[in-house]
Amino acid sequence: MTRGFPDICFDTDIRGSFFIFGISAVIDKRIIEKLTFLKTQIELENVMHLFDNNIGLEDFTCGLMNLVYGYNLKNLNKNQMNYPGIDLADPILQIAVQVTVEKTKEKIQSTIDTFIKKEYMKHYKRLIIFLYADKDRYNGEFETQNKFEFNKNEDIITVKKLLKDIDGCSDHCLKKIDLYLEEQLISYPKKTQHIEPIDFLKEEKKKVYAMC
């Protein structure tokens, strides 16, 4: 989608030199920082077996995907805890989503197997794996028994892929996404605290590795 002529915004680098950015570029940068922070935080908590806020993450992902892709996903676990195989669904667009931090091929194949066993393909044409981790190469194709199509390049959405898709959003959509992240990511270190996100994440990684 083509963006309109951007408003102008001034920013500085660490040496105090001024750069001129379009508003959309500044928002893009904030979105990247916030989602990178979230992904790293989840990965660190998962390593330490501290991540236990699945419902919260599902709700967050649900709202984010709706904004980015124009879906109308709902969290299935709100009505039935531990809904088998999938977490979010849009019955109109016939899309089902599983939100996970596990990136192994076995985990994804297990989700596909459950999708087939529960005959979800009768209600949903597409299964998406939303992955809060870096995707593996996944040699070979996933087995779907020819029940539905699963494209490992398109149907496994990582934060990196999401950011590429966000880059194609309109200015209006970018502002809505930025506001949503600002409201949802309460623990994100604000610049008013004089903490740079990248420096913050480096320190958090040091703490985790020191405990191993």
Side-chain angles (χ1 to χ4, degrees), residues 27 31 67 170-183:
I27 294 175
I31 291 172
L67 285 173
S170 66
D171 287 347
H172 177 68
C173 181
L174 283 176
K175 291 174 183 177
K176 290 174 69 174
I177 294 168
D178 184 48
L179 179 60
Y180 179 78
L181 296 178
E182 186 72 22
E183 292 173 345

Side-chain angles (χ1 to χ4, degrees), residues 26-168:
V26 175
I27 294 175
D28 275 342
K29 182 179 178 182
R30 287 204 301 259
I31 291 172
I32 290 170
E33 288 179 346
K34 290 170 185 174
L35 288 176
T36 301
F37 172 82
L38 174 65
K39 172 180 171 288
T40 304
Q41 183 181 42
I42 291 170
E43 286 179 322
L44 292 175
E45 290 182 359
N46 194 45
V47 168
M48 299 174 68
H49 306 290
L50 295 175
F51 185 74
D52 59 359
N53 191 16
N54 291 322
I55 294 293
L57 185 60
E58 290 160 8
D59 283 342
F60 169 80
T61 307
C62 183
L64 184 58
M65 292 186 74
N66 287 343
L67 285 173
V68 176
Y69 300 112
Y71 298 157
N72 188 27
L73 296 165
K74 304 295 182 184
N75 191 340
L76 300 175
N77 291 304
K78 288 286 187 70
N79 296 322
Q80 179 183 332
M81 287 295 294
N82 297 318
Y83 200 94
I86 56 178
D87 302 306
L88 318 174
D90 181 337
I92 303 300
L93 295 178
Q94 297 181 298
I95 294 171
V97 180
Q98 182 182 78
V99 181
T100 183
V101 298
E102 296 184 48
K103 65 178 182 178
T104 65
K105 186 173 183 179
E106 291 75 18
K107 167 64 177 176
I108 296 174
Q109 184 61 60
S110 175
T111 299
I112 292 172
D113 292 343
T114 301
F115 193 85
I116 295 171
K117 181 180 179 181
K118 296 293 183 180
E119 298 187 325
Y120 290 146
M121 58 279 187
K122 292 182 178 180
H123 307 286
Y124 307 110
K125 293 181 179 179
R126 185 183 181 192
L127 170 65
I128 295 174
I129 308 295
F130 195 101
L131 184 59
Y132 282 96
D134 294 326
K135 186 170 67 172
D136 284 341
R137 294 197 174 186
Y138 306 124
N139 294 325
E141 299 299 325
F142 290 93
E143 178 56 57
T144 63
Q145 301 177 30
N146 293 322
K147 299 291 186 178
F148 71 104
E149 293 185 9
F150 184 83
N151 185 324
K152 64 183 179 183
N153 296 317
E154 295 297 327
D155 297 327
I156 300 176
I157 297 180
T158 60
V159 171
K160 183 176 181 180
K161 175 172 169 46
L162 179 73
L163 287 170
K164 289 181 179 178
D165 293 339
I166 287 174
D167 191 53

Side-chain angles (χ1 to χ4, degrees), residues 6-13 16-27 29-30 191:
D7 296 320
I8 299 299
C9 179
F10 291 92
D11 199 0
T12 61
D13 69 358
S17 301
F18 280 93
F19 292 92
I20 300 178
F21 295 103
I23 288 295
S24 60
V26 175
I27 294 175
K29 182 179 178 182
R30 287 204 301 259
K191 287 193 175 183

